[in-house]
Amino acid sequence: MKTSLEWIRALVPGLTVSPKEYCDRMTMFGQKVEFYTDFGKDLDKIVIGEIKSIEKHPDADHLVICQVDVGKESPIQIVTGAPNTSVGMKVPVVLDGGRVAGGHDGTKTEGGIKIKKGKLRGVESDGMMCSIEELGSSRDLFPDAPESGLYPLSADAPVGEDCVHYLGLDDVVVDYEITSNRVDCFALLGIAREAACAFNLPFKPDTVTETGTVGNVADDITVEIQNKELCSRYTAREVKDVHIAPSPEWMQRRLRSQGIRPINNIVDITNYVMVEYGQPMHSYDYDKIAGKKIVVRNAAAGEKFTTLDGQERTLDEKMLMICDGEKAVGIAGIMGGENSMITDGVKTVLFEAATFDGTNIRLSSKRLGMRTEASGIFEKGLDPNNAILAMNRACQLVEELGAGTVVKGVVDIYENPVKEKHIPFEPDKYNAFLGTDIPADTIKEYFEREELKVEGNDVTIPTFRQDLEEFADLAEEAARFYGYDRIPTTLPNGGAAMGGIAKKERVANLAREVARFSGFSEAMTFSFESPKVFDKLLLSADDPARKTVTISNPLGEDFSIMRTLAVNGILTSLATNYGRRNPDARLFEIAKIYLPKAVPVTEQPDEREQFTAAFYGEGDFYTMKGVAEEFLEQAGLKGKITCDPNSNIPYLHPGRQANIIYDGKVLGFLGEIHPTVAASYGIKDRAYYLDIDLPTVVSYASFDRKYEGIQNFPASSRDISMIVPTGITAGQIEEVFEKQGGKLLESYRLFDIYEGAQVGLGRKSMAYSLTFRAKDRSITDDDVNPIMEKIVNALGDLKVELRK
């Protein structure tokens, strides 16, 4: 949103602060200023001059010598090469020592270009006459400016007066970042009202007077709204005896300050009201409206319509159209039709000011691929009560500018008027919420300054303040009047709260820490996947993982479901590394999976975070097992963690996979990727995968740590080497150690494993180191030998033999 500061000053008398002070205060008041542009900063000593005489330059065919009246006792002499000079012409003149914004070609120079007295081909020149480009503007905003040459001013321009001010080029334009809930501030009146409140000054909008001197518009036009949901209000007024002419200079200046090119009085009036009230308007040639009837209806599917820009548009049944008795004449809220456009020969104009559904306008604009200034305003959701105010203002301007004769009355279809809201007045609650101590009378005065009516314990909210819904909104109003910078720092009320992060976040962060320490890099993969992934992972047709949340509007089939397994994303990333010939790669991810509670989905799915890791290259199954054990140990799982080879994960190697078991529950699984699966991803090396369900780990995790003193007595260690049947796992052997080792067994460690011809088919060699220690004494062989005997006997039950 942009506003002219001069226009704001006209509506807020007494606003004399500098542009910077204005911008700073408005930002602190809640209307953030992005930047402001001072158009006159590079213009100096530029006055209105009148050419009194012209003679040829004696030494140059393309130069002339002009005597120019600039309001001094005698004219000054200026040499120029402009092709459009004429006696009596009034032009902008830069005096000696003045500055212009840039060159005649439209290029601008920071700080401007200084103009000094000098000689041109031996003839004195005491200044310079200007084109519109040299004044820092363009022909887009001054359409009467010639393509090349001096800019001709009006015949009534006062000679010697400040030309920059006369043309409105000394204005400051402020650019705001308006939040979408403050629809009222997309109008200049809304910003002016805010400025008046911010500086505690009166807000003086122009008074809208009654208009209409002939007839009754209801006798000349009827309006029918067929879709009242998409058009909540439609107003129309008629202007006869239209006189098309340029709008006055003051209106042109204000429109230019908003970046709007003046066209003619009728078009300029509708643009002016759109800026002032934030209400787009449209004008139709009344004589082109068949049946003298306006119908607001939905378009037919495939209907063709030619808009004002000459483009034929294909419509659909969701778009809203403005029609007459026979044909469409405009796309509601977006653009009028070529068949009812205003031309110089227009005799009678029908003005339209309506309220259309913002969402429908936005979607229609998007489908048509045309976003106009009007659609950009309508899509924000306008106050229907503003439509009649804007309509009456436009008719007032028609009379003031002598642009036509306004017909009495208004056609106004408004079946369900928007009413003012009421919110309780609760100053004590506002103060408690803000941590302030603002007196109730002061808060009441704040509210009444912005046109909120306070009566007893009730606040009446005007319809233009759609953002005020509840007590917190009113508390915010009190805060911005009081000043955010004045609100003291206070502690929150209530009991003391422990700091730190949630337990599940601590567990997730611990997983990251362990993975990084183990040489893994973090990956981030998509939660959207293709259903083809399940075939790639060798899942059976009835596998539960195939029951997914399907996305209703996917980007494509490859992103059409929410993943129920985390493995595809990380394997895809691993395959990318392999394809780029990285010799080894280690990746991990804290990935979410989405498990529907029912299919089709009737409620939110179960979102579960998984700690996943994958690698190829240096390492094996036990490398990945070590990562899992380190993580679970750091997470404080104090019981025995075992691995069960009967995991039956289809995308893992059938003989090199295991479930991770704790307290009888499966925490996750790990293993080597099935060779077929690895090949389907383009990985021609052994790859390993780990998947741990973090919510399950969180339920067991503990970060309580107790200090244990340094051991005062020495340990005793024994090594045991065994011939073990292939079907016996390390977990089964270690279970024997723990069961038979008693309190004296401190730790055990597998330090050798071998399979080969030396130990025979179906057997393997395993060697452990066992450490024994007593906390209250030094242990001897008499303590350890009986324990070792028990261990050996129990191992015998598993058909395990001591190696000789």
Side-chain angles (χ1 to χ4, degrees), residues 1-4 22-23 27 31-37 172-178 191:
M1 176 65 187
K2 296 180 180 179
T3 66
S4 156
Y22 171 84
C23 295
T27 297
Q31 302 303 338
K32 181 185 176 185
V33 174
E34 289 287 289
F35 57 88
Y36 69 90
T37 304
V172 174
V173 173
V174 182
D175 200 318
Y176 310 83
E177 182 185 321
I178 305 296
I191 292 293

Side-chain angles (χ1 to χ4, degrees), residues 200-227:
N200 197 15
L201 293 170
F203 172 50
K204 299 287 186 181
D206 292 328
T207 302
V208 180
T209 56
E210 185 177 344
T211 54
T213 56
V214 298
N216 189 325
V217 66
D219 298 333
D220 296 337
I221 196 79
T222 59
V223 175
E224 177 189 350
I225 302 177
Q226 294 184 1
N227 191 332

Side-chain angles (χ1 to χ4, degrees), residues 303-370:
E303 182 177 347
K304 305 289 185 182
F305 182 71
T306 303
T307 47
L308 277 171
D309 56 4
Q311 299 293 314
E312 185 180 71
R313 314 282 179 177
T314 301
L315 313 175
D316 63 45
E317 65 279 8
K318 294 182 180 178
M319 296 175 184
L320 195 65
M321 301 298 294
I322 308 298
C323 308
D324 61 17
E326 298 175 355
K327 61 188 180 300
V329 294
I331 304 175
I334 300 177
M335 186 177 285
E338 190 178 51
N339 55 10
S340 62
M341 67 186 294
I342 299 295
T343 61
D344 290 343
V346 67
K347 301 253 193 269
T348 305
V349 165
L350 186 72
F351 279 139
E352 166 194 283
T355 306
F356 304 114
D357 179 75
T359 301
N360 178 265
I361 296 298
R362 179 178 61 81
L363 294 175
S364 298
S365 176
K366 186 176 181 180
R367 288 196 297 273
L368 288 169
M370 55 183 300

Side-chain angles (χ1 to χ4, degrees), residues 234-239 266-284 308 331 333-336 342 349-356 372-375 377-378 382 386-398 410:
Y234 190 99
T235 68
R237 293 197 70 175
E238 184 183 0
V239 178
I266 296 297
V267 175
D268 291 354
I269 284 170
T270 57
N271 285 335
Y272 188 91
V273 172
M274 180 176 68
V275 171
E276 190 176 33
Y277 281 81
Q279 170 67 53
M281 294 184 62
H282 191 68
S283 53
Y284 301 96
L308 277 171
I331 304 175
I334 300 177
M335 186 177 285
I342 299 295
V349 165
L350 186 72
F351 279 139
E352 166 194 283
T355 306
F356 304 114
T372 61
E373 191 164 3
S375 69
I377 296 174
F378 273 120
L382 302 185
N386 196 40
I388 192 64
L389 300 175
M391 174 64 80
N392 291 336
R393 173 61 168 159
C395 291
Q396 177 191 26
L397 289 170
V398 167
V410 58

Side-chain angles (χ1 to χ4, degrees), residues 123-233:
V123 178
E124 292 281 349
S125 184
D126 296 335
M128 184 180 81
M129 294 181 287
C130 302
S131 67
I132 197 64
E133 288 80 10
E134 287 163 331
L135 296 179
S137 193
S138 68
R139 295 179 65 239
D140 288 337
L141 298 180
F142 288 82
D144 57 335
E147 189 170 344
S148 62
L150 307 178
Y151 177 61
L153 301 172
S154 300
D156 59 355
V159 172
E161 295 296 317
D162 186 341
C163 185
V164 175
H165 181 70
Y166 176 79
L167 293 175
L169 296 176
D170 57 347
D171 202 354
V172 174
V173 173
V174 182
D175 200 318
Y176 310 83
E177 182 185 321
I178 305 296
T179 54
S180 58
N181 65 329
R182 289 302 305 270
V183 179
D184 59 304
C185 289
F186 286 96
L188 189 130
L189 287 178
I191 292 293
R193 185 184 291 108
E194 289 286 294
C197 292
F199 291 94
N200 197 15
L201 293 170
F203 172 50
K204 299 287 186 181
D206 292 328
T207 302
V208 180
T209 56
E210 185 177 344
T211 54
T213 56
V214 298
N216 189 325
V217 66
D219 298 333
D220 296 337
I221 196 79
T222 59
V223 175
E224 177 189 350
I225 302 177
Q226 294 184 1
N227 191 332
K228 295 181 174 63
E229 289 185 3
L230 299 185
C231 178
S232 57
R233 188 175 197 180

Side-chain angles (χ1 to χ4, degrees), residues 610-624:
Q610 311 292 297
F611 170 33
T612 65
F615 75 88
Y616 67 82
E618 185 178 350
D620 55 18
F621 177 92
Y622 297 102
T623 304
M624 192 66 90

Side-chain angles (χ1 to χ4, degrees), residues 758-775:
Q758 293 183 0
V759 295
L761 188 64
R763 303 201 299 174
K764 57 188 173 184
S765 171
M766 300 179 70
Y768 277 87
S769 177
L770 288 72
T771 301
F772 300 89
R773 191 194 306 269
K775 294 182 179 181

